[in-house]
Amino acid sequence: MYTVIPLMMIGVLFLYTGMRGQMLATIGVLAAYWLLMFHYPVPGFGAGRLDVEGNFAHYIDGLFLSGHMYSQTKTWDPEGIVSTLPAIATTMFGVLTGHLMRRTHTHAERAARLFLSGNGLLFAGLLLSAWMPINKSLWTVSFSVFMAGISTILFAACYWVCDARGIRWWTKPLEIYG
């Protein structure tokens, strides 16, 4: 159930805000996650811990998801309640990429803007890792931004090859799969 609410939030953001509002919401969600992870004290551990036992996300998941944790570890959940915040931001990066695709007209311009924004996100993720390391298990801010950069670069490359250059012979298995 707790995965439906973030999807509804993203839908509302998309329908009722513009690109600027969506960018601000994405930054706000990532800032809120960073603040919670580094400034909310976990009983018995304090604030700012990113290890498995002492991080804020683990603490909240233990309070509300006890018995419903990740099947392999049984102690933490990489898709828990608090880590939903950067997952929302990750989805919003996709929405913003869609805006970028709609705002430009030529294939070359779209591909160039995608490559540029992807590299900007990749660089920003690396910079952010100085304050919050790239960590998939915690779905950190730097991980979210860094992976959005990699995804945008790969999307730009596929867009350039398939749509701008028309080289589609290799995509048939992907089309069959769906």
Side-chain angles (χ1 to χ4, degrees), residues 92-129:
M92 288 307 298
F93 283 125
V95 169
L96 293 168
T97 300
H99 284 299
L100 190 67
M101 291 293 289
R102 292 176 55 201
R103 294 183 87 182
T104 54
H105 299 290
T106 67
H107 290 306
E109 186 180 358
R110 284 183 186 139
R113 287 185 183 211
L114 286 170
F115 274 119
L116 188 66
S117 62
N119 281 299
L121 288 167
L122 189 82
F123 182 69
L126 290 173
L127 280 177
L128 290 169
S129 71

Side-chain angles (χ1 to χ4, degrees), residues 67-161:
H68 301 286
M69 296 292 191
Y70 189 55
S71 63
Q72 293 177 344
T73 64
K74 305 269 189 228
T75 60
W76 61 275
D77 194 338
E79 298 165 354
I81 296 169
V82 178
S83 60
T84 300
L85 292 174
I88 290 169
T90 299
T91 305
M92 288 307 298
F93 283 125
V95 169
L96 293 168
T97 300
H99 284 299
L100 190 67
M101 291 293 289
R102 292 176 55 201
R103 294 183 87 182
T104 54
H105 299 290
T106 67
H107 290 306
E109 186 180 358
R110 284 183 186 139
R113 287 185 183 211
L114 286 170
F115 274 119
L116 188 66
S117 62
N119 281 299
L121 288 167
L122 189 82
F123 182 69
L126 290 173
L127 280 177
L128 290 169
S129 71
W131 292 278
M132 183 179 245
I134 296 172
N135 184 327
K136 184 196 182 302
S137 296
L138 292 175
W139 209 278
T140 59
V141 171
S142 56
F143 174 80
S144 183
V145 175
F146 182 78
M147 293 310 293
I150 288 176
S151 299
T152 305
I153 292 168
L154 288 173
F155 176 63
C158 288
Y159 175 78
W160 180 252
V161 169

Side-chain angles (χ1 to χ4, degrees), residues 30-43:
L30 291 174
Y33 179 78
W34 180 83
L35 286 169
L36 288 171
M37 292 297 282
F38 276 98
H39 295 290
Y40 191 89
V42 175

